Amino acid sequence: MSRSRNKSKSRAWSNRQNRDRYVREARTLGYRARSVFKLSEVDRKYRLIKPSHQIVDLGAAPGGWSKYVATRLSDRGRIIGVDLLEMKPIHGVGIIQGDFTQPSVQEQIIDCLDGQLLDLVLSDMSPNISGIATIDQAKAEEIQVSILEFCCMTLKSSGTVLTKLFAGSSFSGIQQMYGMGFAQVSVIKPAASRSESREVYLLARGYRIRPQRHR
Ligand SMILES: C[S@@+](CC[C@H](N)C(=O)[O-])C[C@H]1O[C@@H](n2cnc3c(N)ncnc32)[C@H](O)[C@@H]1O
């Protein structure tokens, strides 16, 4: 791409950011990302987060969701943020850098839980898009399968998952997989999610499986 095209693309991006009311509000409130409003909306509507909850935030950088969760927890609660990218420290948030789909990273999360089970798994993970539909769908599925396998080891019976998905051919298969493990599965498009984006959130509540491992 030519340098002038790059320049006009980044000017369009920064104009859009400045016009966006969620970006302005996030800056005013000291949040690192506008995506915090997607989580706060779901939290208010579905009473997702309780002060004593044990929570993991997958795909946490730059830290909007993790910081929001930390403000909702008491000192009995716990939030661990995981991302491929380095994250600046956030007060009250345990941070792990690595690829969540790797068993070694999942082991690190389990170690940080000190033998407790999770009440809530949050995932805002966005895999890098290659543009090749079959590859991108396989990646999206791999992430969701990893989350479900991780739930088998760490999520409390009756626990909850809120996970980002992209509308596409793998969508209904993923929804079905969650339907097998959870009593209730809903698809949510929060107001702060851009209408032109294919992203939606799947809220799976009432985990029906007893976790297999608890250290
Ligand atoms: C949209 S951002 C998350 C924004 C975040 N919820 C916030 O409020 O600041 C998506 C993140 O997912 C991360 N990600 C994608 N695949 C991942 C993986 N396999 N393991 C860990 N993080 C991943 C990316 O590095 C990126 O930082």
Side-chain angles (χ1 to χ4, degrees), residues 32-33 35-36 57-66 82-85 98-101 124-127 143 164:
R32 294 179 184 176
S35 53
V36 67
D57 177 17
L58 307 172
W65 283 24
S66 287
V82 182
D83 206 287
L84 288 167
L85 305 176
D99 179 348
F100 166 72
T101 61
D124 199 20
M125 282 187 283
S126 305
I143 280 186
K164 178 161 73 186

Side-chain angles (χ1 to χ4, degrees), residues 165-205:
L165 294 181
F166 294 91
S169 64
S170 56
F171 183 81
S172 64
I174 293 173
Q175 222 177 326
Q176 274 172 20
M177 286 192 305
Y178 276 93
M180 285 189 267
F182 291 82
Q184 221 181 334
V185 177
S186 333
V187 177
I188 299 169
K189 178 82 177 170
S193 174
R194 293 192 163 106
S195 52
E196 69 273 22
S197 161
R198 290 190 305 118
E199 76 177 13
V200 290
Y201 290 83
L202 199 133
L203 178 64
R205 284 174 292 171

Side-chain angles (χ1 to χ4, degrees), residues 19-192:
R19 277 197 313 268
D20 186 318
R21 88 170 163 93
Y22 292 109
V23 172
R24 289 199 309 265
E25 233 171 292
R27 282 182 193 146
T28 310
L29 296 172
Y31 282 108
R32 294 179 184 176
R34 75 190 286 292
S35 53
V36 67
F37 296 109
K38 303 175 198 171
L39 176 61
S40 62
E41 179 185 325
V42 180
D43 181 30
R44 274 196 309 275
K45 194 163 172 190
Y46 296 92
R47 298 170 189 275
L48 218 53
I49 301 167
K50 303 250 161 39
S52 61
H53 270 176
Q54 308 294 306
I55 300 174
V56 69
D57 177 17
L58 307 172
W65 283 24
S66 287
K67 184 172 176 182
Y68 171 81
V69 173
T71 65
R72 302 273 292 106
L73 296 179
S74 70
D75 52 7
R76 282 186 301 132
R78 183 195 321 255
I79 168 72
I80 302 166
V82 182
D83 206 287
L84 288 167
L85 305 176
E86 197 177 339
M87 261 169 80
K88 286 197 196 127
I90 303 172
H91 182 71
V93 179
I95 293 175
I96 295 174
Q97 185 179 2
D99 179 348
F100 166 72
T101 61
Q102 294 302 309
S104 60
V105 173
Q106 298 184 10
E107 288 293 331
Q108 280 183 62
I109 303 173
I110 290 167
D111 285 345
C112 288
L113 287 173
D114 296 324
Q116 299 222 48
L117 291 170
L118 291 166
D119 297 280
L120 176 61
V121 174
L122 299 171
S123 169
D124 199 20
M125 282 187 283
S126 305
N128 286 331
I129 304 294
S130 72
I132 302 164
T134 47
I135 294 180
D136 293 337
Q137 273 150 29
K139 268 195 207 159
E141 262 183 57
E142 184 197 352
I143 280 186
Q144 299 305 325
V145 168
S146 281
I147 294 174
L148 284 165
E149 285 172 357
F150 181 67
C151 287
C152 287
M153 299 185 281
T154 58
L155 187 63
K156 266 184 195 163
S157 298
S158 85
T160 301
V161 174
L162 176 69
T163 184
K164 178 161 73 186
L165 294 181
F166 294 91
S169 64
S170 56
F171 183 81
S172 64
I174 293 173
Q175 222 177 326
Q176 274 172 20
M177 286 192 305
Y178 276 93
M180 285 189 267
F182 291 82
Q184 221 181 334
V185 177
S186 333
V187 177
I188 299 169
K189 178 82 177 170

